[in-house]
Amino acid sequence: MARKRRRSVARGTQHDALATLHERLVEVYGTPRPQRQLDPVDELVLTILSQNTSDTNRNRAWERLKSRFPDWADVEAAPLGDVEEALRPGGLHRVKAKRIRATLARVREQHGDYDLSHLAGMDVEVARLELSAIKGIGAKSANCILLFSLGRPAFPVDTHVYRVLHRIGIHKTRDLAVANLELRDAVPDGTHFVLHMNVIRHGREVCHARKPQCVGCAVSDLCGYRDKTPAA
């Protein structure tokens, strides 16, 4: 009897392709659960700290910031140099200190407090537009806040996610902002978080930018990457 042929991404829609990818990666990595769910303003600040740095350095800067300033009013009122010093381990500390203070001021002025909980009840696209209006918050950052803090059906596309999806042929654009805007509706309902986390893990552990581990890859048969790493 002939083996059952696996579905091909090339023959399906984006939705079908992402559903197949989700199923394959769950078989390998399981179903990750959220390890944290921060307040939306906390997630907003953490997202700013995440830009152009490693997770380790971001976490160091976050811990120093929170230990030195009990609440966001203290961050906004403190001398700028003190905030910069707290953020030093995260890199670009001067830029990020100014951006965080300006962002906190904007949220307070618009909503009367450091509170973005209203985003939970808004249309996702409207909520993303509101977040994207904040200087330094692009489509990917907005998606991170919506997904991780509010549990909304958003799908952040970073370089790892983009690389995997591009090689498989699910999304061809070379513009991450466009990918962050266009892919959300194609992601199967209820899979946004799990798919995002598993694709990132696959990009970090298997589908490397250079010399990907193509042999034994769970989605190798779906992949059209022309420079696949051959078996030794």
Side-chain angles (χ1 to χ4, degrees), residues 158-213:
D158 68 356
T159 54
H160 297 293
V161 174
Y162 169 77
R163 183 169 63 253
V164 174
L165 299 190
H166 182 72
R167 287 175 174 175
I168 292 175
I170 292 176
H171 206 274
K172 292 294 188 180
T173 180
R174 293 190 179 276
D175 189 330
L176 286 180
V178 172
N180 273 282
L181 291 170
E182 292 185 352
L183 278 171
R184 180 184 70 84
D185 290 337
V187 177
D189 291 344
T191 69
H192 290 77
F193 177 81
V194 172
L195 181 60
H196 170 78
M197 297 302 294
N198 280 344
V199 175
I200 283 184
R201 182 173 177 181
H202 192 69
R204 288 175 174 171
E205 297 182 5
V206 177
C207 194
H208 306 142
R210 296 183 179 181
K211 295 184 179 180
Q213 298 177 19

Side-chain angles (χ1 to χ4, degrees), residues 42-213:
D42 287 13
E43 190 70 50
L44 174 59
V45 173
L46 191 67
T47 298
I48 294 172
L49 291 177
S50 299
Q51 295 167 351
N52 300 301
T53 193
S54 66
D55 289 352
T56 298
N57 289 339
R58 174 204 64 194
N59 291 341
R60 288 173 179 165
W62 171 258
E63 290 167 3
R64 281 165 59 103
L65 183 69
K66 295 297 286 184
S67 66
R68 297 186 184 191
F69 304 102
D71 55 48
W72 295 129
D74 294 321
V75 173
E76 192 180 351
L80 181 59
D82 291 352
V83 180
E84 291 175 350
E85 179 58 30
L87 301 184
R88 185 179 294 275
L92 299 175
H93 57 288
R94 292 187 176 87
V95 173
K96 292 179 180 179
K98 291 179 181 178
R99 185 164 295 168
I100 287 170
R101 297 230 309 192
T103 297
L104 291 172
R106 178 189 176 104
V107 171
R108 176 182 52 76
E109 291 166 1
Q110 290 186 338
H111 304 291
D113 200 354
Y114 305 99
D115 183 14
L116 290 173
S117 58
H118 67 283
L119 297 176
M122 293 175 66
D123 175 83
V124 173
E125 294 305 317
V126 176
R128 183 163 60 183
L129 285 173
E130 179 174 326
L131 289 168
S132 298
I134 299 172
K135 186 176 181 179
I137 301 298
K140 189 199 84 171
S141 296
N143 282 339
C144 286
I145 296 163
L146 292 169
L147 178 66
F148 294 126
S149 178
L150 297 166
R152 306 303 303 277
F155 190 68
V157 180
D158 68 356
T159 54
H160 297 293
V161 174
Y162 169 77
R163 183 169 63 253
V164 174
L165 299 190
H166 182 72
R167 287 175 174 175
I168 292 175
I170 292 176
H171 206 274
K172 292 294 188 180
T173 180
R174 293 190 179 276
D175 189 330
L176 286 180
V178 172
N180 273 282
L181 291 170
E182 292 185 352
L183 278 171
R184 180 184 70 84
D185 290 337
V187 177
D189 291 344
T191 69
H192 290 77
F193 177 81
V194 172
L195 181 60
H196 170 78
M197 297 302 294
N198 280 344
V199 175
I200 283 184
R201 182 173 177 181
H202 192 69
R204 288 175 174 171
E205 297 182 5
V206 177
C207 194
H208 306 142
R210 296 183 179 181
K211 295 184 179 180
Q213 298 177 19

